[in-house]
Amino acid sequence: LGQQIGSLITITMDAFNSKNEQSSDTNLDKSEQSSDANSVNQKKYKVINSVHKVVNSVGLKITGVIFPDNKWIRYWDVLISLSLLTLLFVIPYQVGVTSVSFTLTNTTRIVFSSIIDFIFIVDTILYFWRAYREPDGRLVFDLKKIRRHYLRTFFVWNLLGSIPSAIIFAGQMIPEEDFSLEAIIVSRVFDLLKLCRLARVPYLLRSSDFVVQFQQNQKSQAKLALVKYTFLLIVASHLLACSWCFLAFVQAGNFGDGLLERNNWILFWYNNNYEEGMINPIGEDQNLDRYILSMFWSIQTITSIGYGNIIPFTRLEWWFGSIFMLLSGVLWAYIIGSLVGVAAALQVENELHRNRIDEVNVMISQFAKSDPTKANYACEQEMYDTDIFAKRLKNFIHSQKMTHKLSATNDMSGSFPVINSLSPEMQRVSCFMLVR
């Protein structure tokens, strides 16, 4: 980089010096021109030497900087994205649905959380060397600026999200009934701190070359938007289900006998609906049954179905239930409106395909059916056979729809606008058939 910049500046200085010399021909005599040329040369070499020093210092600062297009950092961003996606589902489930004893003593959960914590600790350190882009697109690769920017933005959130809570609280083999409310709150807060990592998701979506290229390579942006809003609906349902289940835990104090001793929505459902062999949300090891029951309430609340078999029971649940329903109504209206837009975009693509087929049929009907000079191109009889080529045309238009290239064509005009959407070879053959 230093050599390239230095060469560029040298060429620029030579061109500037040559221009000065040419302009001086009309204003200076030979003696004045000679002395002026020496002065310009001295200034030129001083400028070039100073520029080379600056370039060399910049080259030294670049050493150790991790650039966004680095192959390994792109793989690392994929790993971080998968880890954040895992956190988005695991942490709310762990906080709102699972029992405290399961969270602190399950070996699989402790090992898994420790691996995620290690990945985030490494990522927190790596950002001290990662170049970033300004909002105007400029790439910043000066280490001092990188570190100042990182400390002012995501460092605190990344540090809080990297606390290895699984290792800190591991091995405390205490029954859930013996945990104080304060200890439970501290344990849950440490788990929730990991969600601080989600604050950098928008930045990751904007700055990661892998994410940007993935979005650009999608042939149908409408279908990508459909996947996006479906994922948003799933995440919202999951978060609402875990929050609703955690509300029962806060009132009962545990997921064991406390659910049957203190008023909560799970107790109300249990007394009115539970039968032997059905799902049973009571018990420290009944995590999945509690989640299914909460998810059912969440989905029917968001979609405004409301069967009424799972309802608030205490004053606290009525308050939070009202808030949850209000937020769910706003979310559902947003998703429905967005999906209508996506469906409209997909419908435009389908309508364009049907119009293309109609245009092809009109053009095929104009192909010459009989030609007295057809013997002149008998060697190309198969290529210029009307039926064969008509089938090729329709297959080509259909393949355009399947590969989502319908919206990427030129503006069509003329008597047969479909010609503009064909391949060059098909354009040539179609025009020949129309004029032969």
Side-chain angles (χ1 to χ4, degrees):
L1 178 62
Q3 292 176 353
Q4 292 176 358
I5 296 177
S7 301
L8 179 61
I9 295 177
T10 301
I11 295 172
T12 305
M13 290 299 299
D14 288 341
F16 176 76
N17 186 39
S18 175
K19 183 178 180 180
N20 286 341
E21 290 176 353
Q22 292 175 2
S23 63
S24 64
D25 289 342
T26 59
N27 301 322
L28 300 173
D29 56 18
K30 291 184 178 180
S31 59
E32 292 176 344
Q33 184 176 346
S34 177
S35 61
D36 187 66
N38 292 332
S39 176
V40 171
N41 285 334
Q42 291 177 358
K43 292 180 180 180
K44 180 186 72 172
Y45 289 121
K46 287 182 180 179
V47 171
I48 292 176
N49 289 333
S50 63
V51 168
H52 275 296
K53 289 181 181 179
V54 173
V55 169
N56 289 334
S57 65
V58 172
L60 291 175
K61 291 181 181 180
I62 291 177
T63 303
V65 175
I66 304 174
F67 288 90
D69 59 349
N70 184 285
K71 180 180 70 172
W72 297 108
I73 208 63
R74 295 178 65 184
Y75 293 149
W76 181 259
D77 284 342
V78 174
L79 178 61
I80 292 297
S81 301
L82 294 176
S83 301
L84 290 174
L85 182 63
T86 303
L87 277 186
L88 185 60
F89 287 93
V90 171
I91 295 300
Y93 179 84
Q94 183 175 295
V95 172
V97 180
T98 62
S99 62
V100 176
S101 59
F102 174 85
T103 302
L104 300 180
T105 60
N106 185 271
T107 304
T108 303
R109 179 260 165 191
I110 293 174
V111 172
F112 178 78
S113 297
S114 300
I115 294 174
I116 297 294
D117 291 339
F118 175 76
I119 292 174
F120 285 150
I121 290 173
V122 173
D123 187 60
T124 301
I125 298 173
L126 283 179
Y127 265 86
F128 283 104
W129 286 270
R130 290 191 61 169
Y132 69 95
R133 293 190 182 276
E134 295 284 4
D136 59 1
R138 290 184 297 111
L139 182 66
V140 178
F141 51 83
D142 181 82
L143 283 177
K144 290 184 179 179
K145 292 183 179 179
I146 291 173
R147 290 164 182 172
R148 284 199 300 267
H149 176 266
Y150 180 45
L151 290 173
R152 291 196 306 264
T153 53
F154 299 106
F155 174 71
V156 174
W157 300 113
N158 286 354
L159 184 63
L160 291 175
S162 303
I163 298 176
S165 57
I167 297 177
I168 293 175
F169 292 98
Q172 299 188 26
M173 308 292 289
I174 304 175
E176 185 168 350
E177 290 78 4
D178 296 337
F179 271 92
S180 65
L181 182 60
E182 291 77 10
I184 294 174
I185 292 176
V186 170
S187 173
R188 299 307 195 196
V189 167
F190 269 91
D191 289 333
L192 289 174
L193 283 177
K194 295 185 184 299
L195 294 179
C196 293
R197 279 273 173 178
L198 298 177
R200 57 166 290 202
V201 169
Y203 172 79
L204 185 63
L205 294 177
R206 293 193 308 267
S207 62
S208 174
D209 281 4
F210 172 81
V211 176
V212 172
Q213 290 184 8
F214 175 79
Q215 293 176 342
Q216 293 175 349
N217 291 336
Q218 299 306 305
K219 297 177 180 179
S220 176
Q221 294 300 317
K223 291 185 178 180
L224 183 63
L226 181 62
V227 173
K228 168 188 170 183
Y229 293 119
T230 303
F231 176 76
L232 177 61
L233 183 60
I234 294 173
V235 171
S237 301
H238 173 72
L239 295 178
L240 189 60
C242 295
S243 300
W244 186 243
C245 189
F246 183 70
L247 196 58
F249 170 81
V250 169
Q251 298 175 102
N254 58 70
F255 283 129
D257 295 336
L259 290 175
L260 298 176
E261 296 171 354
R262 300 177 182 89
N263 291 333
N264 58 85
W265 68 266
I266 292 181
L267 174 62
F268 184 79
W269 177 90
Y270 187 86
N271 291 334
N272 291 276
N273 297 277
Y274 177 74
E275 294 183 5
E276 191 69 27
M278 296 176 58
I279 60 173
N280 182 11
I282 308 297
E284 294 184 10
D285 58 342
Q286 300 296 321
N287 301 323
L288 186 58
D289 285 355
R290 278 193 297 274
Y291 180 72
I292 293 174
L293 199 61
S294 301
M295 178 61 78
F296 183 81
W297 176 86
S298 172
I299 293 175
Q300 69 177 357
T301 299
I302 291 178
T303 57
S304 305
I305 296 176
Y307 288 112
N309 54 348
I310 303 175
I311 60 174
F313 186 58
T314 65
R315 184 185 301 273
L316 181 65
E317 291 171 354
W318 279 104
W319 273 107
F320 275 92
S322 300
I323 295 174
F324 289 159
M325 285 187 288
L326 180 62
L327 296 176
S328 298
V330 174
L331 175 66
W332 186 240
Y334 170 74
I335 291 179
I336 288 296
S338 301
L339 291 179
V340 168
V342 172
L346 293 175
Q347 184 63 26
V348 168
E349 188 173 287
N350 293 331
E351 186 66 25
L352 181 58
H353 170 66
R354 288 192 291 268
N355 291 338
R356 288 274 175 85
I357 291 295
D358 292 339
E359 292 169 0
V360 166
N361 291 331
V362 171
M363 185 175 67
I364 291 173
S365 66
Q366 300 299 317
F367 285 169
K369 295 296 183 179
S370 60
D371 183 16
T373 62
K374 192 172 183 179
N376 295 336
Y377 20 84
C379 59
E380 300 180 351
Q381 181 176 0
E382 182 176 347
M383 175 182 291
Y384 296 113
D385 183 272
T386 301
D387 295 334
I388 295 177
F389 187 69
K391 185 177 180 181
R392 286 184 59 201
L393 277 176
K394 293 182 179 180
N395 289 337
F396 180 81
I397 296 298
H398 181 69
S399 67
Q400 279 191 322
K401 179 179 183 296
M402 300 304 295
T403 55
H404 308 288
K405 293 181 179 179
L406 287 171
S407 59
T409 56
N410 299 326
D411 185 26
M412 296 182 296
S413 60
S415 301
F416 305 103
V418 71
I419 291 179
N420 291 329
S421 64
L422 301 178
S423 65
E425 186 266 342
M426 286 189 172
Q427 289 181 4
R428 179 173 63 84
V429 178
S430 298
C431 293
F432 176 82
M433 287 188 168
L434 289 170
V435 301
R436 69 178 181 175

